[in-house]
């Protein structure tokens, strides 16, 4: 790990901002994010573990004061900074924050913090500042406004930031919708027009409402992101200029950063399941689904880092795939359920995370080992190989390749999330504390939980015996993806000949029946079509015409009888 001169610990309560900053920084060859944590307590725990192994493993700590806006959290964070400097005086600390008040910055400086930068600074400016602070220097960005004495300056700036925040949020959503696979041409044209309008509106708001400022010694290249809008922070990180010391071609880390950042943006979409296939995560509240998916994405980034640092050869990735996914599942379990209080079952207190980890066998068999295209995804993200999907080869780092990699990544996240929830539903589904902590309010009754579990059981039976065999026979995979309306399902072509020859039992019978249906269906359709045409001919030309002639004869006979009666009546009248 000593090949990187900058090794930092990132502390920030916003999981999306942490992920965005991490993937942006790790696209730079000499920068390594050793760990990123959300809280002060977690930071002390992981820092103690790291320092115990190697006192020089971390040479910079980057942190936010609380949530950046709450005064209580800011004061607690100031106390944490004093504790941090007392415990580890040899590690410099850089404050990367949305705060800008002189009083709070002075208080932070008095705790021993070595530098300050505002959030929104470009990556090309941030990295040299980090390097300077890590090398023992100091850096404090001070913003002095010429127009601070003018009336309504603060109000105007707040309106500008609010407008920019709203525009960036909408722009991220529209940009993500434009990348939706299979988008109709008319919808794509409308969304492209909306994106151009939003870009224009952002430029106008930023220039018309901005106040003249003197920045010393740097100026953020973008407005500061709002604290409660993490997608804005990500979009700002993604939109920064690539540092001049990077090579002109995308490195694998930069490529991964692009794909992961797009995935983070799409995670802002609704997470309602709009398919006809039940998913384990459907039982969770939306915020719990999103939290779980963020954790999986974050841990996956770390797994990919470990593979790079270990210099694993590309031809070994197929053999390591199952182990990597299992390790990812285990790490996510520890983080997601590790903070949950012990639950009492039959008089015994059970640690939820440990209990779920003890039931890994079924999860591996039913879900993890069946996640498709993992080798292709890892090869693309780590070694920047071309991506072959849907019988088409896409050049590495091209927009089409990134789009296909994003689809595989989204399916991976959803399936691992299902694997996290499955043991909970199998053994602890009706525990009241779990229902209150995780479940959607419409799924908390025992009846609804049992109905949901029964639907999942039928899904597994149907998939194991019928659907999987049909997919193999049809050379395709069903993938779950994030769309603006919710979690949807799509099919992609993939050669599955090796799996086909291994089928046995009921799945094999299913494929034989499908083949038989394909063989006889055209002939049977031709026979039915011929018989149907003959039946129609008999009805219309034979029976129909016969009935028509009979009817016409009856009508003519009735007409003749009426004429005879009229003649007889006239003859009687004349004889009288």
């Amino acid at each position: 790990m000593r090949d990187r001169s900058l090794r930092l610990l990132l502390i920030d309560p916003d999981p999306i901002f942490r992920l965005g900053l991490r993937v942006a920084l790790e696209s730079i060859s000499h920068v390594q994010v050793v760990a990123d944590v959300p809280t002060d307590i977690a930071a002390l725990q992981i820092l103690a573990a790291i320092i115990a192994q190697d006192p020089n493993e971390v040479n910079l700590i980057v942190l936010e004061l609380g949530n950046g806006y709450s005064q209580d959290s800011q004061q607690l964070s100031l106390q944490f900074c004093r504790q941090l400097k007392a415990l580890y005086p040899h590690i410099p600390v850089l404050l990367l924050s949305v705060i800008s008040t002189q009083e709070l910055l002075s208080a932070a400086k008095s705790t021993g913090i070595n530098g300050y930068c505002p959030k929104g600074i470009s990556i090309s400016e941030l990295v040299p500042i980090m390097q300077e602070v890590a090398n023992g220097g100091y850096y404090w960005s001070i913003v002095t406004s010429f127009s601070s004495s003018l009336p309504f300056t603060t109000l105007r700036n707040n309106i500008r930031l609010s407008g920019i925040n709203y525009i960036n949020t909408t722009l991220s959503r529209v940009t993500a919708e434009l990348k939706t696979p299979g988008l109709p041409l008319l919808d794509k044209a409308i969304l492209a027009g909306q994106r151009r309008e939003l870009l224009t509106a952002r430029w106008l708001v930023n220039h018309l409402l901005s106040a003249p400022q003197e920045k010393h010694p740097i100026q953020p290249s973008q407005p500061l992101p709002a604290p409660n809008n993490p997608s804005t922070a990500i979009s700002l990180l993604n939109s920064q200029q690539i540092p001049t010391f990077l090579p002109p071609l995308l490195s694998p880390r930069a490529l991964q950063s692009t794909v992961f950042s797009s995935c983070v943006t799409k995670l802002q979409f609704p997470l309602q399941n709009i398919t006809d296939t039940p998913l384990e995560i459907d039982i969770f509240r939306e915020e719990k689904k999103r939290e779980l998916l963020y954790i999986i994405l974050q841990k996956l980034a770390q797994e990919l880092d470990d593979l790079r640092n270990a210099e694993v050869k590309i031809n070994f990735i197929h053999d390591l795939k199952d182990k990597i996914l299992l390790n990812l599942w285990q790490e996510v379990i520890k983080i997601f359920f590790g903070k949950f209080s012990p639950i009492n079952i039959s008089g015994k207190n059970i640690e939820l995370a440990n209990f779920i980890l003890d039931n890994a066998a079924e999860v591996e068999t039913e879900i993890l080992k069946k996640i498709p295209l993992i080798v292709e995804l890892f090869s693309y993200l780590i070694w920047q190989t071309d991506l072959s999907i849907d019988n088409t080869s896409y050049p590495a780092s091209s927009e089409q390749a990134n789009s296909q990699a994003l689809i595989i990544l989204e399916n991976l996240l959803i399936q691992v999330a299902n694997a996290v929830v499955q043991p909970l539903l199998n053994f602890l589904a009706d525990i009241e504390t779990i229902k209150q902590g995780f479940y959607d309010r419409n799924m908390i009754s025992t009846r609804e939980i049992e109905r949901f579990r029964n639907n999942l059981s039928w899904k597994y039976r149907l998939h194991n015996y019928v659907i999987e065999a049909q997919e193999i026979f049809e050379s395709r995979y069903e993938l779950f993806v994030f769309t603006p309306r919710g979690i949807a399902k799509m099919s992609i072509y993939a050669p599955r000949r090796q799996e086909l020859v291994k089928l046995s039992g009921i799945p094999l019978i299913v494929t034989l029946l499908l083949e038989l249906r394909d063989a006889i269906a055209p002939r049977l359709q031709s026979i039915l079509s011929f018989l149907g045409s003959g039946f129609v001919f008999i009805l219309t030309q034979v029976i129909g015409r016969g009935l028509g002639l009979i009817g016409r004869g009856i009508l003519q006979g009735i007409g003749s009888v009426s004429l005879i009666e009229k003649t007889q009546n006239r003859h009687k009248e004349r004889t009288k």
Side-chain angles (χ1 to χ4, degrees):
M1 292 187 179
R2 289 296 175 267
D3 58 338
R4 293 187 172 193
S5 59
L6 188 58
R7 303 176 301 278
L8 59 93
L9 170 68
L10 176 60
I11 309 170
D12 196 291
D14 187 340
I16 305 181
F17 182 81
R18 289 201 314 274
L19 178 60
L21 182 58
R22 181 190 182 98
V23 296
L25 289 175
E26 291 195 340
S27 64
I28 303 172
S29 59
H30 70 284
V31 179
Q32 178 187 3
V33 180
V34 177
D36 61 276
V37 292
T39 64
D40 302 344
I41 296 176
L44 290 175
Q45 291 174 344
I46 197 168
L47 195 56
I50 292 173
I51 297 301
Q53 295 181 356
D54 185 351
N56 299 318
E57 178 66 19
V58 175
N59 58 14
L60 178 66
I61 298 174
V62 180
L63 59 81
E64 165 70 277
L65 287 184
N67 60 16
Y69 280 79
S70 169
Q71 293 184 355
D72 292 339
S73 66
Q74 289 170 357
Q75 293 303 318
L76 290 174
S77 291
L78 289 174
Q79 296 178 15
F80 167 68
C81 290
R82 296 187 185 94
Q83 183 181 7
L84 202 60
K85 296 301 293 185
L87 292 172
Y88 308 104
H90 65 288
I91 304 179
V93 178
L94 174 66
L95 178 63
L96 182 62
S97 175
V98 295
I99 67 170
S100 58
T101 59
Q102 189 62 44
E103 296 79 10
L104 195 56
L105 289 176
S106 299
K109 193 172 186 178
S110 66
T111 65
I113 288 180
N114 304 79
Y116 160 74
C117 284
K119 280 184 177 178
I121 184 175
S122 66
I123 298 298
S124 59
E125 294 173 308
L126 177 61
V127 172
I129 294 170
M130 287 181 171
Q131 193 69 66
E132 180 180 347
V133 174
N135 292 336
Y138 290 86
Y139 190 94
W140 287 84
S141 175
I142 302 175
V143 180
T144 305
S145 174
F146 286 129
S147 58
S148 58
S149 59
L150 297 177
F152 307 116
T153 298
T154 302
L155 176 61
R156 179 173 64 177
N157 191 52
N158 289 338
I159 293 174
R160 180 180 69 87
L161 292 179
S162 176
I164 292 294
N165 172 49
Y166 176 78
I167 291 172
N168 282 333
T169 302
T170 309
L171 185 61
S172 298
R173 177 181 58 80
V174 171
T175 303
E177 289 182 15
L178 270 171
K179 298 180 180 180
T180 302
L183 191 66
L185 183 60
L186 180 59
D187 292 348
K188 185 177 293 187
I190 293 174
L191 290 171
Q194 291 178 352
R195 188 175 187 276
R196 288 192 297 270
E197 293 173 357
L198 288 167
L199 291 172
T200 303
R202 185 172 66 178
W203 186 89
L204 290 172
V205 170
N206 204 24
H207 285 74
L208 294 178
L209 295 180
S210 61
Q213 292 181 333
E214 177 188 18
K215 282 85 176 179
H216 176 75
I218 63 170
Q219 175 182 359
S221 62
Q222 293 282 356
L224 300 181
N228 294 324
N229 192 347
S231 63
T232 304
I234 286 292
S235 64
L236 293 180
L237 283 170
N238 296 336
S239 63
Q240 303 304 330
Q241 181 181 1
I242 297 177
T244 56
F245 47 79
L246 288 179
L249 295 177
L250 280 176
S251 68
R253 290 187 182 277
L255 185 149
Q256 176 184 322
S257 172
T258 301
V259 176
F260 274 46
S261 298
S262 299
C263 186
V264 168
T265 302
K266 293 188 72 173
L267 281 175
Q268 303 306 305
F269 291 159
L271 298 177
Q272 178 185 359
N273 183 4
I274 59 175
T275 73
D276 56 357
T277 303
L279 301 173
E280 284 80 353
I281 58 173
D282 291 345
I283 201 169
F284 274 12
R285 298 192 298 271
E286 179 141 329
E287 66 270 17
K288 283 298 179 181
K289 294 182 194 177
R290 189 168 283 112
E291 177 187 351
L292 176 58
L293 292 166
Y294 283 142
I295 293 173
I296 296 170
L297 189 62
Q298 188 178 29
K299 296 307 296 183
L300 178 60
Q302 294 179 6
E303 291 284 343
L304 296 175
D305 287 346
D306 292 342
L307 290 173
R308 289 192 187 93
N309 295 333
E311 298 182 353
V312 175
K313 302 299 182 182
I314 189 171
N315 54 318
F316 292 148
I317 195 67
H318 186 274
D319 297 331
L320 294 173
K321 171 180 70 73
D322 293 341
K323 183 178 180 180
I324 294 169
L325 291 180
L326 179 60
N327 186 65
L328 172 64
W329 177 79
Q330 293 171 337
E331 292 299 319
V332 171
I333 292 289
K334 294 175 185 177
I335 296 175
F336 189 68
F337 293 117
K339 57 189 176 182
F340 200 74
S341 302
I343 56 178
N344 189 281
I345 300 178
S346 302
K348 296 181 179 180
N349 287 331
I350 297 177
E351 293 288 343
L352 186 56
N354 294 335
F355 180 85
I356 294 176
L357 289 173
D358 291 337
N359 294 277
E362 186 175 356
V363 169
E364 278 193 281
T365 304
E366 295 290 346
I367 299 179
L368 295 180
K369 288 186 177 181
K370 294 183 178 181
I371 302 177
L373 305 173
I374 298 301
V375 174
E376 290 80 357
L377 177 64
F378 286 1
S379 300
Y380 180 73
L381 295 177
I382 299 175
W383 294 283
Q384 206 167 346
T385 60
D386 292 348
L387 193 60
S388 296
I389 302 294
D390 260 343
N391 206 31
T392 304
S393 180
Y394 300 98
S397 76
S398 65
E399 184 177 351
Q400 296 87 348
N402 287 343
S403 178
Q404 296 295 327
L406 181 59
I407 291 172
I408 304 172
L409 176 62
E410 292 170 18
N411 181 71
L412 170 61
L413 297 185
I414 294 171
Q415 296 292 7
V416 173
N418 288 334
V420 170
V421 181
Q422 190 203 54
L424 196 71
L425 293 173
N426 287 347
F427 304 103
L428 305 171
D430 207 20
I431 304 299
E432 196 62 36
T433 53
I434 293 177
K435 292 194 291 185
Q436 294 176 2
F438 298 101
Y439 291 2
D440 184 89
R441 62 182 302 273
N442 296 322
M443 302 288 288
I444 57 177
S445 71
T446 301
R447 180 181 180 184
E448 291 299 327
I449 292 173
E450 291 305 314
R451 180 183 298 172
F452 182 72
R453 293 178 62 192
N454 288 335
N455 288 338
L456 286 176
S457 297
W458 279 109
K459 179 192 80 168
Y460 282 117
R461 293 189 184 98
L462 190 63
H463 185 270
N464 290 337
Y465 294 125
V466 179
I467 296 179
E468 185 176 21
Q470 183 179 358
E471 290 178 2
I472 292 174
F473 189 59
E474 295 174 352
S475 300
R476 63 182 177 88
Y477 287 115
E478 293 281 355
L479 304 183
F480 294 94
V481 295
F482 303 117
T483 70
R485 296 193 301 117
I487 296 176
K489 187 167 59 175
M490 63 176 296
S491 295
I492 63 171
Y493 166 80
R496 307 186 69 175
R497 188 69 185 176
Q498 293 181 350
E499 298 172 83
L500 183 62
V501 298
K502 294 179 181 179
L503 290 180
S504 61
I506 296 178
L508 177 60
I509 295 174
V510 170
T511 60
L512 295 176
L513 291 175
L514 289 172
E515 188 173 4
L516 179 63
R517 185 195 65 180
D518 293 341
I520 68 174
R523 285 78 183 173
L524 183 61
Q525 186 177 6
S526 300
I527 293 172
L528 292 176
S529 177
F530 175 77
L531 293 177
S533 300
F535 185 66
V536 170
F537 176 81
I538 293 173
L539 287 178
T540 56
Q541 300 299 320
V542 179
I543 298 177
R545 285 191 175 183
L547 291 175
L549 291 173
I550 293 172
R552 186 166 58 184
I554 293 173
L555 292 176
Q556 289 177 351
I558 293 174
S560 299
V561 171
S562 300
L563 181 60
I564 293 172
E565 290 179 351
K566 289 180 181 181
T567 305
Q568 290 176 349
N569 290 335
R570 288 177 183 173
H571 180 70
K572 290 178 181 179
E573 289 178 357
R574 289 177 183 174
T575 56
K576 289 179 180 180

